[in-house]
């Protein structure tokens, strides 16, 4: 999968850069769950994709994808 995608327009190309880490509110939207549920995910022993940057908790998009795939293979999250 490409890290960025160029969309051609008449004026100038728009470039989309896929984020490698996102805030809890974005993870909540991605998973269609609440922000408190996202922080529960961050505390799980089987999820290793949350980290602090300054005062903000960020989530690795790749780790989140891997965790979701593992949940699918296992038949669902607890």
């Amino acid at each position: 999968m490409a890290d960025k995608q160029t969309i051609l327009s008449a004026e100038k190309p728009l470039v989309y850069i896929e984020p490698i880490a996102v805030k809890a509110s974005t993870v909540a939207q991605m998973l269609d769950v609440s922000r408190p549920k996202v922080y529960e995910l961050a505390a799980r022993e089987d999820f290793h994709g949350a980290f602090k940057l300054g005062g903000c908790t960020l989530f690795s998009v790749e780790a989140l994808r891997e965790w979701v795939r593992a949940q699918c293979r296992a038949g669902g999250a607890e």
Side-chain angles (χ1 to χ4, degrees):
M1 177 185 283
D3 288 334
K4 60 184 175 178
Q5 179 180 26
T6 302
I7 303 168
L8 299 177
S9 76
E11 296 176 15
K12 75 178 198 181
L14 300 174
V15 177
Y16 171 75
I17 299 174
E18 184 176 350
I20 59 173
V22 294
K23 293 181 178 180
S25 58
T26 303
V27 175
Q29 290 177 321
M30 291 168 72
L31 296 176
D32 196 23
V33 298
S34 67
R35 282 184 59 217
K37 186 58 88 174
V38 171
Y39 288 110
E40 285 180 30
L41 167 64
R44 290 177 59 127
E45 288 187 23
D46 66 339
F47 184 78
H48 306 287
F51 60 96
K52 288 276 194 182
L53 184 60
C56 183
T57 301
L58 295 177
F59 293 81
S60 161
V61 173
E62 185 56 36
L64 182 62
R65 285 184 178 133
E66 290 173 13
W67 183 82
V68 168
R69 283 191 289 268
Q71 297 309 302
C72 291
R73 285 191 300 270
E78 295 178 11

